[in-house]
Amino acid sequence: MPVNKNLSIAHRWFDAFNAHNLEQLLALYDDNAEHFSPKLKIRKPETDGLIKGKNALRDWWQDAFDRLPTLNYKVTSLTADENRVFMEYIRKVENEEDMLVAEVLEIKDGKIVFSRVYHG
């Protein structure tokens, strides 16, 4: 997949996330996509940080949007190649300290198949 297509997926990802539009966000993912996050390890220790499939992604993000209605990501950098996008952003939540985050989206056939989050 061309680099600019992967950048387009990343831009649509941020648009959907920041609008808290769960269905638009999930549409970017493969049905069997996997997601790893340090926050998952904390909030759902039984996952060891890794969830699989759109239903698990839906539950995870719906919970986040419900708990954190002001959750918003400010993009600072996007770097893409033909297989992935490396995203850097600032996690903003009202009354919480801003958090620097990096996330990698692995993309195959126009869908995100794996994403992993790193906190700085």
Side-chain angles (χ1 to χ4, degrees):
M1 172 148 293
V3 171
N4 60 349
K5 291 255 188 189
N6 287 346
L7 280 176
S8 173
I9 289 169
H11 285 289
R12 285 182 289 157
W13 189 96
F14 280 104
D15 289 345
F17 195 95
N18 285 335
H20 293 195
N21 188 324
L22 195 51
E23 294 312 312
Q24 271 187 347
L25 186 62
L26 290 168
L28 299 172
Y29 283 80
D30 181 81
D31 288 343
N32 300 307
E34 298 182 18
H35 177 71
F36 177 84
S37 168
K39 287 210 175 282
L40 266 165
K41 280 180 129 169
I42 295 164
R43 289 202 55 85
K44 296 181 176 269
E46 70 279 7
T47 67
D48 203 28
L50 182 68
I51 55 175
K52 299 177 183 181
K54 278 192 180 180
N55 286 337
L57 291 168
R58 177 179 281 107
D59 292 346
W60 173 243
W61 285 319
Q62 187 64 65
D63 177 64
F65 295 156
D66 290 346
R67 282 184 302 107
L68 305 167
T70 63
L71 178 62
N72 189 273
Y73 294 158
K74 182 179 185 288
V75 180
T76 56
S77 176
L78 296 174
T79 307
D81 68 17
E82 57 279 346
N83 301 311
R84 70 190 51 83
V85 180
F86 183 79
M87 311 187 305
E88 294 175 277
Y89 53 89
I90 299 168
R91 178 187 180 273
K92 295 181 162 291
V93 175
E94 200 172 285
N95 300 320
E96 288 187 21
E97 191 172 325
D98 289 352
M99 178 186 292
L100 299 175
V101 181
E103 184 162 353
V104 177
L105 305 178
E106 292 186 19
I107 300 169
K108 184 175 180 184
D109 299 325
K111 294 286 186 181
I112 301 165
V113 295
F114 192 83
S115 53
R116 57 189 181 276
V117 176
Y118 305 91
H119 295 156

